[in-house]
């Protein structure tokens, strides 16, 4: 190997979410109102074993990123949208709704107090607000928690594609539902617990990365990402309804694609239509962690379907690069998606 072909070894990075920044921000809801939040060292919280969340799963969360630009400044991507989604999740679970201004301040404080932990691009600081019911009452199955805790955690994360953009292998599950019908658009832990069993089973049996849930033959989303089909200047993704999480990345990509002249169709589509579409198209998963990740193979009822040429498609790469450039401050932000921290 000569000098020109030698690659520089990249030091191994911790897995996504496995490292937490040193400080967290905590607020409590007691006697009908949110108390002032405070910064604490990231660590264990006192929780009563009778707490509502431990019995009746009254909890929801959010996940989004703050980026360090080349000039050193730090910017949060679509803070308001994530706060609104958290408030909507809280309402669906009859939890005390976080105050939008207070939660925004908690997020900005979490960034400020962990400023040194914000990696340079392509890394980011992942923000994870969590909300859970703390009232100690084990007989409250049919009653909401009157007390709650809101915590903003931060975690430095590195490039999801450090090993290169590998096309994903996806199992199409038309048997299981990912969530209870009314919980699809709620970001609550129970949904992930429900998807875990089928996902591990599919990984074991079919060596796939993820499961695409399509109960009754209608495509919804994977365990932690939304789903897109792409073919000759045309994008297709499921229309917003109660069955799946309304991804902020999905919304950003739809906006960007429309502005670039792509035709974007939002409607219900079937597994049969998807399998026909991918023969000459692209498929991709969208979400905060990976932005847009290309699918190379679909596995359905024992058959394997190659997506396009089996590699990450050109439109997937183009839209991903466009969005990442905005997030990292290398392209203009006409929609005002970034908030300076
Ligand atoms: C179930 C599910 N769907 C979709 C998404 C993508 O949402 P977003 O783009 O807001 O990260 C996520 C990730 O948060 C998710 O957990």
């Amino acid at each position: 190997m000569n000098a020109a072909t030698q690659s520089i070894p990249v030091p191994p990075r911790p897995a996504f979410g496995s490292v937490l920044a040193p400080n967290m921000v905590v607020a409590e809801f007691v006697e009908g109102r949110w108390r002032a939040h405070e910064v604490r060292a990231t660590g264990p919280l006192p929780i009563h074993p009778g707490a509502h969340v431990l019995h009746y799963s009254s909890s929801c969360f959010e996940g989004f990123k703050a980026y360090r630009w080349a000039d050193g400044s730090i910017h949060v991507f679509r803070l308001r949208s994530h706060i609104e989604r958290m408030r909507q999740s809280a309402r669906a679970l009859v939890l005390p709704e976080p105050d939008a201004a207070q939660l925004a301040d908690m997020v900005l404080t979490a960034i400020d107090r962990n400023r040194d932990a914000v990696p340079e691009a392509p890394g980011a600081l992942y923000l994870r607000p969590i909300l859970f019911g703390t009232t100690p009452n084990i007989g409250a199955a049919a009653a909401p928690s009157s007390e709650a805790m809101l915590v903003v955690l931060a975690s430095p994360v590195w490039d999801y594609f450090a090993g290169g953009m590998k096309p994903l292998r996806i199992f199409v599950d038309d048997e299981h539902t990912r969530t209870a019908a009314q919980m699809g658009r709620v970001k609550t832990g129970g949904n992930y617990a429900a998807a875990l069993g089928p996902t591990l089973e599919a990984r074991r049996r079919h060596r796939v990365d993820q499961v695409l849930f399509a109960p009754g033959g209608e495509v919804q989303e994977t365990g932690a990402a939304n789903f897109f089909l792409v073919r000759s200047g045309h994008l297709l993704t499921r229309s917003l309804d109660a069955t799946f999480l309304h991804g902020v990345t999905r919304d950003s990509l739809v906006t960007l694609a429309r502005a670039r002249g792509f035709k974007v169709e939002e409607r219900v589509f079937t597994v049969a239509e998807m399998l026909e579409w991918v023969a000459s198209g692209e498929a991709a998963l969208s979400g905060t962690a990976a932005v847009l990740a290309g699918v190379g193979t679909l596995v359905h009822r024992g058959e394997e379907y190659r997506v396009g040429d089996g590699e990450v498609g050109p439109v997937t790469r183009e839209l991903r690069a466009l969005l990442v450039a905005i997030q990292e401050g290398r392209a203009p932000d006409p929609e005002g998606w970034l908030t300076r921290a």
Side-chain angles (χ1 to χ4, degrees), residues 9-67:
V10 178
R13 295 296 198 182
F16 188 95
S18 63
V19 174
L20 292 182
N23 295 302
M24 62 184 186
V25 186
V26 182
E28 286 182 66
F29 187 88
V30 259
E31 291 167 355
R33 67 181 179 85
W34 284 105
R35 297 284 165 85
H37 47 277
E38 58 180 44
V39 177
R40 296 191 200 163
T42 303
L45 291 164
I47 185 162
H48 195 285
H52 197 275
V53 62
L54 298 180
H55 303 262
Y56 305 116
S57 290
S58 48
S59 77
C60 59
F61 65 101
E62 264 308 317
F64 48 94
K65 287 178 181 167
Y67 298 83

Side-chain angles (χ1 to χ4, degrees), residues 61-64 82 85 126 178 184 187 191-192 221-226 244-251 286-289:
F61 65 101
E62 264 308 317
F64 48 94
H82 286 282
R85 193 169 68 185
Y126 180 76
R178 188 186 65 91
K187 202 162 168 63
N191 289 347
Y192 300 83
E221 62 174 335
T222 66
N226 295 132
F244 72 102
L245 192 77
H246 299 181
V248 175
T249 316
R250 172 197 177 282
D251 180 73
S286 76
T288 293

